[in-house]
């Protein structure tokens, strides 16, 4: 049984983990509104609500199932080809709660690593004469390092996750929902269901393409600005013809306007690994 305090969430990089969540305004349920200051609340809540989740995943690993056996049992590919090389199945996460729990844990580890790197850089650049300030930063470094080490032990035990590997999280069943309101008053309405990884991948490709159009538009606009103007907030820019066309396609196929907010919930996802040194 997992204890509520098993995960210590102090803050929050992107380790070498590729996850099928969306850029721009499309986001996964557990990514919404997460900031370094709110990670502790979000992740601790998930840990409390999903005390069974990690244990169930760990149970599969402890049975000694090979990647081949697990792939057959869960009806997912044993390996995934990618430009970086082949990824091999580690575990399969089933249920929205379990998937949200894993993603919260990954984000906490990522953020802790990023903050640790930033604090180490800050400490190394501080004047040695600033003894008191250096002690404060050193204390923060030690606190985050201890939390990170505990979280990594937890992730290794329950999901077979280590920093020695690169990971790929492939959604196999997911739902896309429109959202109204926030927090406890938020109302979600499912507008599309992804029944397999291929349908989800096609949606991902469309959202990525739309995000690139917006990014290219912003970059082109910034090139026309002076350095002083670049410091000001960007104005709301009109949609280009290409963005309008892409938006119409997404509305027709998914009832999803890429200029609005949506939530993705995973019901089933497979986690794959590849040694990072390869």
């Amino acid at each position: 049984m997992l204890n509520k305090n098993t995960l210590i969430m102090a803050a929050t990089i992107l380790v070498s983990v590729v996850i099928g969540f969306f850029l721009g305004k499309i986001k996964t349920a557990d990514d919404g509104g997460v900031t370094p200051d709110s990670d502790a609340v979000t992740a601790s809540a998930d840990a409390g609500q999903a005390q069974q989740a990690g244990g169930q995943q760990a149970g599969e690993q402890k049975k000694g199932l090979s990647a081949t056996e697990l792939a057959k049992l869960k009806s997912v590919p044993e390996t995934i080809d990618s430009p970086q090389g082949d990824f091999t199945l580690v575990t399969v996460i089933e249920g929205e709660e379990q998937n949200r729990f894993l993603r919260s844990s990954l984000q906490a580890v990522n953020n802790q690593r990023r903050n640790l790197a930033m604090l180490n850089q800050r400490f190394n650049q501080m004047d040695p004469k600033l003894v008191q300030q250096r002690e404060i930063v050193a204390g923060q470094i030690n606190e985050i390092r201890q939390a990170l080490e505990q979280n990594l032990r937890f992730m290794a035990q329950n999901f077979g996750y280590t920093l020695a590997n690169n990971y790929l999280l492939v959604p196999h069943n997911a739902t896309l929902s429109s959202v109204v309101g926030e927090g406890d008053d938020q109302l979600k309405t499912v507008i599309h269901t992804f029944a397999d990884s291929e349908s989800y991948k096609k949606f991902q490709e469309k959202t990525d393409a739309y995000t690139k159009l917006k990014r290219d538009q912003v970059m082109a606009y910034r090139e026309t600005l002076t350095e002083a103007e670049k410091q000001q907030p960007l104005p709301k820019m009109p949609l280009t013809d290409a963005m309008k066309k892409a938006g119409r396609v997404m509305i027709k196929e998914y009832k999803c306007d890429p200029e609005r907010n949506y939530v993705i919930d995973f019901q089933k996802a497979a986690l794959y690994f590849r040694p990072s040194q390869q």
Side-chain angles (χ1 to χ4, degrees), residues 10-39:
T12 4
I13 122 191
L14 206 45
V15 214
S16 299
V17 179
V18 182
I19 303 178
F21 63 85
F22 301 117
L23 305 175
K25 293 202 171 189
I26 298 177
K27 56 191 178 183
T28 54
D30 51 303
D31 289 327
V34 176
T35 65
D37 290 333
S38 67
D39 281 344

Side-chain angles (χ1 to χ4, degrees), residues 93-154:
I93 305 92
E94 296 178 296
E96 288 184 11
E97 194 172 271
Q98 289 88 336
N99 274 280
R100 189 174 299 117
F101 182 59
L102 170 61
R103 292 173 60 80
S104 295
S105 302
L106 286 171
Q107 183 164 13
V109 167
N110 291 344
N111 289 347
Q112 286 169 340
R113 293 188 69 211
R114 179 182 59 193
N115 289 348
L116 188 59
M118 292 171 60
L119 285 171
N120 276 321
Q121 182 180 27
R122 179 182 173 188
F123 182 84
N124 292 332
Q125 294 175 346
M126 293 179 72
D127 188 335
K129 296 179 181 179
L130 302 176
V131 177
Q132 186 174 3
Q133 291 90 328
R134 284 169 63 90
E135 288 181 350
I136 292 175
V137 175
Q140 294 173 336
I141 290 174
N142 186 56
E143 180 181 351
I144 293 180
R145 180 179 288 118
Q146 290 179 358
L148 174 60
E149 290 173 352
Q150 183 166 339
N151 283 344
L152 287 173
R153 287 194 295 270
F154 175 88

Side-chain angles (χ1 to χ4, degrees), residues 183-221:
D184 294 337
D185 296 327
Q186 186 181 79
L187 176 64
K188 294 196 303 182
T189 303
V190 175
I191 59 175
H192 191 84
T193 298
F194 303 97
D196 51 46
S197 60
E198 188 60 32
S199 62
Y200 182 91
K201 179 182 178 182
K202 290 179 180 178
F203 180 60
Q204 174 76 77
E205 290 171 347
K206 287 183 173 63
T207 59
D208 287 348
Y210 190 88
T211 299
K212 184 178 185 304
L213 290 173
K214 291 186 69 71
R215 184 169 59 246
D216 291 345
Q217 181 190 41
V218 170
M219 292 177 63
Y221 174 76

Side-chain angles (χ1 to χ4, degrees), residues 221-234:
Y221 174 76
R222 285 180 61 82
E223 289 179 357
T224 68
L225 304 178
T226 65
E227 289 302 319
E229 290 173 333
K230 290 180 181 179
Q231 306 305 315
Q232 303 300 316
L234 289 173

Side-chain angles (χ1 to χ4, degrees), residues 17 52 248:
V17 179
Q52 304 289 336
R248 288 194 294 269

